[in-house]
Amino acid sequence: MTPSSWSLWRRIAALCAVVAGLLGVVAVSATVTAAANRSDTTLVMDRITPALVNAERLYSQLLRQQSSVRTFLLTGKDSDLDSYRDAQAQEAAILGETERLLTDEPRLEAAVRDIAAATARYRSEITEPLISQARANGVNPDTAAPTDQSRAVYNEASGRIAALSQALITRRDEVAAQVRATGNVLILLLVLAAVVVVVAGVTLAYLLRRLITRPVTDLAGEVRRVAGGDYEYEITSSGPPELTALAGDVDTMRRRINADLTDVQEARRLVEEANRMLEQQAAELTRSNRDLEQFAYVASHDLQEPLRKVASFCQLLQRRYSGQLDERADQYIGFAVDGAQRMQRLINDLLAFSRIGRLTSGFTEVDLNKVVQDAAAQFDAQREATDAEIIFTGLPSVRGEEPLLGALFSNLIGNAIKFRRPDVPPRIVIDSQAGEGEYEISVEDNGIGIEPEFADKVFVIFQRLHAKETYPGTGIGLAIAKKIVEYHGGRIWIDPDHREGTLLRFTLPIPAPAEESAP
């Protein structure tokens, strides 16, 4: 059978099969390229970037060790070495985390091990001998002055850290170049898909004109000739077999097909245009949210190191010169220390807020009774000081991330104790009830309460209803609680009908039977 004798359906089916095959090849290529792009993006975002931040933190810990030892050599107080020991512990933790992040990167792992060796040498050859000498011979300010050897060993350690940072930046740039390259390939594949669709449309239009429009026009002329009185004229069709079989009613059919085809094409165009606009808006919204979260995360990290340095040196000033200057100078130093500490708490809370949903360990079965018990244990000192009472029992098990749920209850219990009424022991009752597909958890206290007009405002980040001198804090606790609840698929609100104290309610989905039985 020659192609010229094919039916209209067979010709269109052949065209669709060719187009589908080409689009399938493009789709498979795009999938492979997108997977490579996602892998490289994950490497940059989840491993190289945190490792680069850790390199900055390592330099800060090395500087803390140097500053603490110098302070000890000047004062001879063992308490001045607390920061030194803490900096060693922080350094070890950071080195371990960085080496874990750089698994499968041998050159970068070797750089991390070089840093560990260099800092260990700095302590064994410089700081520890100086500490032992000061303890044995007493305070000698001359020993606090750096020597050529100490400078050389310290510079070697800091140089190793700088070398790691540069290597990480280089590796990040390499992977970023790969991401851009795969992105360009994806764009080319999309353009190719568009070209295939356009060519298919043009081919389809050509087939429609050649196999339908022209034969129908010819057939209409023949029908008009018959209607003009030439009744012996035999109506024939040069079109496909379908048109030949329907020659007796071809004119009416042509009109209907043209009208229906026009409507269908217009409707299809409108639907495709609407879908395209929706996809663009969804992609733009996703990109905007991702950029905002990344900005908050990076900004918080970048602010940590200089602010930590300001706070550290302000505290050193306070310990070194407290009582040696006039009262106003001590007050100014106290203001600086308090401001730096409050800014650190603010940045830490912002960092915790931005991390919710970004760094996830996956949902597991979580017993809320244990979570609340652990959260309440964090406030043992406040409970004893205020005679606070925390009541809970029979709470359900849900699917979620236990650390986030622990932070949720810690925020709610902490707020209930903080915003208590004067001379009234806090009483906190945590209860639950099952609804349609969700548990409703309630946290009730007998504190100062929240006015109904502020019921929504308290969940906005950094919104405070009281002065910080009256009730300390950053104003982000309930915003974090709301984000945690929404991340777990629930909602949170304040019961406006509750008059004495505060009644806060939130929901968590009831696990499906398959989820409950999962390990």
Side-chain angles (χ1 to χ4, degrees):
M1 181 181 295
T2 61
S4 61
S5 62
W6 286 3
S7 65
L8 179 61
W9 166 249
R10 186 170 182 179
R11 299 182 189 191
I12 293 178
L15 175 63
C16 292
V18 172
V19 173
L22 292 175
L23 291 179
V25 172
V26 172
V28 171
S29 302
T31 300
V32 173
T33 305
N37 184 279
R38 180 179 180 86
S39 176
D40 290 339
T41 302
T42 300
L43 176 60
V44 171
M45 301 301 299
D46 295 346
R47 294 172 60 188
I48 295 180
T49 298
L52 188 58
V53 173
N54 283 350
E56 296 296 329
R57 294 172 61 196
L58 283 172
Y59 180 78
S60 176
Q61 299 307 320
L62 182 62
L63 182 61
R64 283 183 62 197
Q65 296 177 48
Q66 182 190 51
S67 300
S68 299
V69 171
R70 285 184 178 176
T71 303
F72 170 75
L73 295 176
L74 292 173
T75 64
K77 296 179 181 179
D78 285 343
S79 60
D80 290 330
L81 291 177
D82 292 343
S83 179
Y84 173 70
R85 303 303 180 194
D86 179 66
Q88 290 185 52
Q90 292 289 335
E91 176 189 301
I94 294 171
L95 285 170
E97 179 186 357
T98 305
E99 191 166 2
R100 178 183 58 80
L101 289 171
L102 298 178
T103 302
D104 300 330
E105 296 286 343
R107 182 169 60 87
L108 299 178
E109 282 187 287
V112 175
R113 290 191 290 271
D114 289 343
I115 292 173
T119 55
R121 181 189 172 201
Y122 174 69
R123 286 189 291 272
S124 64
E125 296 183 6
I126 305 300
T127 59
E128 294 297 339
L130 287 175
I131 293 171
S132 299
Q133 180 182 353
R135 285 175 172 165
N137 303 330
V139 175
N140 183 0
D142 293 338
T143 61
T147 64
D148 292 340
Q149 180 188 4
S150 65
R151 286 194 190 95
V153 176
Y154 179 85
N155 289 338
E156 180 186 357
S158 62
R160 295 289 186 181
I161 297 174
L164 175 62
S165 297
Q166 186 58 46
L168 287 169
I169 291 172
T170 302
R171 179 60 176 150
R172 182 191 62 186
D173 293 343
E174 292 174 356
V175 179
Q178 295 176 6
V179 171
R180 288 190 295 270
T182 53
N184 292 335
V185 172
L186 281 174
I187 293 174
L188 291 176
L189 290 173
L190 290 176
V191 171
L192 178 59
V195 170
V196 171
V197 172
V198 170
V199 171
V202 171
T203 304
L204 180 60
Y206 170 78
L207 291 176
L208 289 176
R209 176 176 177 79
R210 184 173 181 273
L211 300 178
I212 296 178
T213 305
R214 185 178 299 170
V216 166
T217 302
D218 295 342
L219 184 60
E222 294 180 356
V223 169
R224 284 193 296 269
R225 180 175 177 178
V226 171
D230 190 2
Y231 303 112
E232 299 297 330
Y233 183 79
E234 182 179 356
I235 298 176
T236 60
S237 174
S238 59
E242 292 86 348
L243 288 179
T244 302
L246 296 175
D249 200 22
V250 67
D251 188 59
T252 303
M253 185 65 70
R254 179 186 62 82
R255 295 171 188 268
R256 184 177 301 172
I257 288 176
N258 285 339
D260 292 343
L261 184 59
T262 300
D263 292 340
V264 168
Q265 288 177 338
E266 179 64 17
R268 178 180 174 181
R269 186 189 65 80
L270 293 175
V271 170
E272 290 176 348
E273 180 68 17
N275 288 336
R276 184 184 63 81
M277 294 180 64
L278 287 174
E279 290 173 356
Q280 289 178 347
Q281 292 173 355
E284 180 65 21
L285 182 59
T286 301
R287 183 198 61 78
S288 177
N289 289 338
R290 183 173 62 250
D291 289 347
L292 286 175
E293 291 180 354
Q294 184 65 16
F295 172 78
Y297 185 83
V298 173
S300 298
H301 271 82
D302 290 346
L303 289 175
Q304 286 280 15
E305 193 277 334
L307 187 59
R308 190 183 299 112
K309 185 180 294 184
V310 171
S312 176
F313 279 99
C314 285
Q315 289 170 351
L316 288 175
L317 283 174
Q318 190 177 45
R319 290 197 298 267
R320 179 67 179 86
Y321 297 104
S322 178
Q324 300 182 25
L325 305 174
D326 59 25
E327 181 179 353
R328 178 165 295 181
D330 289 341
Q331 185 181 28
Y332 289 164
I333 293 175
F335 287 161
V337 172
D338 179 67
Q341 290 174 343
R342 284 192 292 107
M343 181 60 76
Q344 281 183 316
R345 289 193 297 269
L346 192 66
I347 291 175
N348 288 334
D349 286 345
L350 179 60
L351 185 59
F353 182 82
S354 67
R355 279 176 169 169
I356 296 174
R358 286 174 50 87
L359 304 177
T360 176
S361 58
F363 281 16
T364 59
E365 184 174 355
V366 180
D367 183 1
L368 293 185
N369 291 288
K370 180 179 180 302
V371 171
V372 174
Q373 183 177 3
D374 293 342
Q378 300 175 20
F379 301 93
D380 285 343
Q382 294 93 321
R383 292 168 64 184
E384 292 179 3
T386 61
D387 292 330
E389 182 181 14
I390 301 176
I391 302 172
F392 65 94
T393 184
L395 298 179
S397 294
V398 299
R399 295 283 296 179
E401 292 193 31
E402 185 169 346
L404 292 181
L405 294 174
L408 168 65
F409 282 102
S410 295
N411 273 318
L412 300 182
I413 294 174
N415 280 350
I417 295 176
K418 181 196 300 185
F419 298 102
R420 62 184 181 275
R421 289 185 292 170
D423 302 324
V424 177
R427 186 174 188 270
I428 306 166
V429 180
I430 302 175
D431 199 2
S432 67
Q433 61 181 6
E436 289 188 7
E438 61 184 15
Y439 292 115
E440 182 179 293
I441 316 296
S442 63
V443 181
E444 180 182 3
D445 65 58
N446 60 346
I448 62 175
I450 298 174
E451 295 298 328
E453 60 266 30
F454 300 121
D456 293 328
K457 181 180 179 181
V458 295
F459 294 105
V460 179
I461 188 170
F462 299 138
Q463 291 296 317
R464 303 173 55 92
L465 301 183
H466 308 279
K468 64 178 182 297
E469 294 78 11
T470 306
Y471 294 99
T474 59
I476 198 175
L478 287 181
I480 290 177
K482 180 180 180 182
K483 192 170 183 181
I484 291 174
V485 171
E486 291 178 347
Y487 173 66
H488 284 81
R491 50 195 174 87
I492 186 170
W493 71 96
I494 293 175
D495 192 336
D497 299 327
H498 189 74
R499 292 290 177 247
E500 183 177 354
T502 301
L503 176 57
L504 191 145
R505 302 180 186 274
F506 62 91
T507 62
L508 294 174
I510 296 177
E515 294 178 331
E516 292 179 337
S517 61

